[in-house]
């Protein structure tokens, strides 16, 4: 008898939950025991692989088979709760199909929903984004929502997502400028927000006003003549990650974030001080700045014992990812006593061929460790 046959159904279901759904369903032919076991798996992961034949009219036959497969699985699946429901679809998937699958997931009390809609913009195809059903915005049991690429958020006036704790919005489209505000206002216990607004060049302002938010990541790498305003008011933040090479105007309205433990700031514009002045309680700080931005930080650092000083005595790890000229501006501030609000600067590690000095852990606990490395 093979070893896997001795495992309990619960353990087998955990193993099956790590596999793509098409492989899970294929186990039904193994034996009578396996025939119906797949119907109780708590995770469904659908991927249409984006491999289509060229067609003149109608749908490619392989996508039609994918549609039939998803419909059968969603109908015959018997688990009372779907912990995770994932879709990775291409240009042939439309709003009606996705809305139908989402509504079935809502009936099955899905806890985590992930949708990635990848579209390649060929002129011969009439591309269409996916619009989420409005019933999703009133689903009380949803805990995690991750949306990627050509998905349109047409958010209704009333939003109620009382259990949502994690929200990822990557390259999505917003029907109106107020949609993201409506969505966030309906998430009273949201703890994690990951946003990439690189594809939203026409969005004038992105507001993050979340009293309960603990982790925030904002990314914008779309460089053009239009810059958005990003306004952050999240006094409970513990982790902040900002990557902005688009030159946005980023403002932190929370003057102090007392719970902030770690911050990564990568900006190319000249005015990062509005973000930096909110990081007075941070313990781990990583900076990647342009030369002009580094000069601003140097000036802020040099305000000894000023309440507006960026670096405080609680800072334990200070990492700089810059070109040599920009790094010099920040390090010159450190060496000249600008970090005097820190208990002590114990040393600097240069991670390149020019210099390498090792700081022991006991020394690091006595003050702030500065690490300098090349950008990723």
């Amino acid at each position: 008898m093979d070893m896997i046959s001795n495992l309990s159904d619960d353990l087998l279901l955990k193993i099956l939950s790590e596999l793509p759904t098409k492989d899970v369903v294929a186990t039904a032919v193994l034996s009578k025991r396996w025939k119906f076991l797949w119907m109780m798996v708590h995770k469904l992961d659908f991927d249409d692989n984006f491999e289509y034949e060229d067609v003149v009219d109608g749908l490619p036959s392989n996508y039609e088979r994918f549609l039939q497969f998803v419909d059968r699985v969603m109908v015959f699946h018997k688990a009372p709760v779907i912990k995770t429901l994932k879709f990775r679809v291409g240009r042939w998937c439309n709003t009606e199909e996705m809305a139908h699958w989402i509504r079935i997931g809502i009936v099955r009390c899905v806890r985590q929903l992930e949708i990635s809609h990848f579209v390649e913009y060929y002129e011969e195809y009439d591309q269409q984004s996916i619009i989420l059903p409005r019933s999703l915005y009133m689903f009380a049991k949803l805990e995690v929502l991750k949306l990627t690429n050509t998905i349109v958020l047409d958010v209704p006036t009333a939003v109620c997502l009382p259990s949502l704790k994690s929200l990822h919005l990557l390259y999505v489209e917003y029907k109106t400028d107020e949609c993201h505000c409506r969505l966030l206002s309906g998430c009273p216990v949201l703890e994690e927000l990951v946003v990439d607004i690189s594809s939203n060049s026409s969005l004038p302002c992105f507001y993050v006003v979340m009293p309960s938010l603990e982790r925030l990541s904002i990314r914008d790498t779309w460089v053009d003549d239009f810059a958005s305003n990003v306004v952050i008011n999240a006094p409970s933040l513990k982790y902040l990650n900002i990557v902005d090479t688009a030159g946005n105007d980023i403002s932190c309205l929370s003057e102090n974030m007392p719970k902030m433990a770690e911050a990564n700031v990568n900006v190319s514009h000249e005015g990062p001080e509005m973000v930096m002045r909110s990081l007075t309680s941070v313990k781990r700080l990583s900076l990647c700045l342009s030369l002009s931005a580094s000069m601003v930080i140097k000036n802020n650092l040099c305000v000894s014992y000023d309440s507006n000083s960026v670096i405080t005595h609680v800072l334990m790890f200070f990492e700089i990812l810059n070109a040599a000229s920009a790094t010099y501006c920040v390090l010159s501030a450190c060496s000249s006593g600008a970090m005097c609000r820190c208990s002590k600067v114990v040393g600097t590690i240069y991670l390149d061929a020019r210099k390498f000095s090792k700081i022991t852990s006991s020394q690091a606990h006595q003050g702030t460790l500065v690490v300098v490395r090349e950008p990723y």
Side-chain angles (χ1 to χ4, degrees):
M1 181 179 294
D2 61 304
M3 185 180 298
I4 197 170
S5 298
N6 294 324
L7 300 178
S8 65
D9 285 354
D10 289 340
L11 186 54
L12 287 176
L13 288 174
K14 289 182 180 179
I15 296 174
L16 292 176
S17 294
E18 302 303 319
L19 301 175
T21 299
K22 64 178 182 179
D23 296 332
V24 174
V25 176
T27 63
V29 301
L30 295 178
S31 67
K32 290 183 178 180
R33 181 190 180 191
W34 289 86
K35 186 175 182 180
F36 303 106
L37 188 62
W38 70 268
M39 298 181 182
M40 299 304 296
V41 72
H42 294 291
K43 179 180 178 180
L44 297 178
D45 185 353
F46 300 104
D47 188 342
D48 77 352
N49 297 317
F50 318 138
E51 297 178 358
Y52 312 124
E53 307 98 339
D54 293 331
V55 294
V56 178
D57 296 313
L59 298 174
S61 60
N62 49 355
Y63 183 70
E64 288 184 335
R65 289 193 296 270
F66 174 77
L67 280 179
Q68 295 170 1
F69 173 75
V70 176
D71 286 339
R72 287 199 305 268
V73 171
M74 296 294 285
V75 170
F76 288 105
H77 187 259
K78 302 300 181 183
V81 175
I82 301 177
K83 293 183 179 179
T84 302
L85 179 59
K86 297 176 64 175
F87 296 98
R88 189 171 183 268
V89 294
R91 64 179 181 267
W92 290 105
C93 185
N94 60 42
T95 294
E96 290 73 19
E97 294 158 357
M98 185 57 66
H100 173 65
W101 297 332
I102 290 175
R103 292 186 184 102
I104 295 178
I106 291 176
V107 173
R108 298 293 179 81
C109 303
V110 62
R111 296 294 189 264
Q112 178 170 330
L113 177 62
E114 301 181 26
I115 306 174
S116 298
H117 184 220
F118 296 92
V119 173
E120 298 177 354
Y121 293 94
Y122 296 112
E123 293 182 358
E124 61 266 34
Y125 293 109
D126 182 16
Q127 307 302 343
Q128 185 177 16
S129 299
I130 290 178
I131 301 176
L132 300 178
R134 295 205 165 193
S135 57
L136 180 63
Y137 299 105
M138 299 295 290
F139 181 41
K141 297 183 179 180
L142 189 64
E143 298 175 1
V144 178
L145 179 60
K146 297 181 180 181
L147 306 174
T148 304
N149 281 356
T150 48
I151 298 172
V152 177
L153 296 184
D154 186 8
V155 184
T157 304
V159 177
C160 184
L161 297 169
S163 301
L164 193 68
K165 294 184 177 181
S166 180
L167 177 62
H168 292 209
L169 304 173
L170 308 180
Y171 309 106
V172 300
E173 303 172 17
Y174 302 94
K175 188 73 172 181
T176 65
D177 296 341
E178 298 78 22
C179 279
H180 71 282
C181 295
R182 294 177 183 174
L183 178 59
L184 295 180
S185 65
C187 308
V189 299
L190 192 68
E191 298 177 356
E192 179 189 48
L193 177 61
V194 179
V195 179
D196 194 319
I197 58 174
S198 299
S199 62
N200 298 109
S201 58
S202 62
L203 191 65
C205 190
F206 193 92
Y207 293 93
V208 180
V209 182
M210 303 291 299
S212 63
L213 197 65
E214 297 180 358
R215 297 178 61 85
L216 173 62
S217 295
I218 295 182
R219 179 182 177 89
D220 188 356
T221 57
W222 186 273
V223 180
D224 58 12
D225 296 332
F226 184 88
S228 301
N229 293 323
V230 178
V231 179
I232 302 171
N233 189 353
S236 299
L237 275 185
K238 298 179 181 179
Y239 172 83
L240 175 64
N241 180 45
I242 296 177
V243 178
D244 178 24
T245 59
N248 293 316
D249 183 8
I250 302 177
S251 302
C252 283
L253 299 183
S254 303
E255 294 185 358
N256 186 24
M257 301 177 185
K259 299 180 181 180
M260 181 71 70
E262 182 176 355
N264 303 310
V265 180
N266 181 346
V267 295
S268 61
H269 52 86
E270 299 180 0
E273 66 273 14
M274 290 299 293
V275 176
M276 301 302 299
R277 290 182 182 277
S278 298
L279 304 180
T280 56
S281 300
V282 68
K283 296 178 178 63
R284 294 180 62 90
L285 177 61
S286 177
L287 297 180
C288 185
L289 307 173
S290 63
L291 177 58
S292 57
S294 297
M295 292 295 292
V296 173
I297 296 303
K298 175 186 175 182
N299 294 334
N300 285 337
L301 283 169
C302 287
V303 184
S304 302
Y305 296 99
D306 191 327
S307 61
N308 291 326
S309 179
V310 174
I311 307 298
T312 71
H313 65 282
V314 299
L315 186 64
M316 299 178 61
F317 182 87
F318 186 24
E319 181 182 46
I320 312 169
L321 295 85
N322 291 89
S325 57
T327 299
Y328 174 78
C329 290
V330 180
L331 286 184
S332 62
C334 299
S335 61
S336 64
M339 293 179 68
C340 57
R341 294 195 68 193
C342 303
S343 55
K344 184 181 180 183
V345 179
V346 299
T348 304
I349 297 178
Y350 290 83
L351 298 182
D352 57 27
R354 293 171 297 171
K355 180 180 179 181
F356 178 81
S357 58
K358 184 177 181 181
I359 309 300
T360 65
S361 58
S362 59
Q363 288 175 312
H365 284 304
Q366 298 173 4
T368 302
L369 176 61
V370 179
V371 176
V372 181
R373 71 174 82 229
E374 291 298 316
Y376 297 121

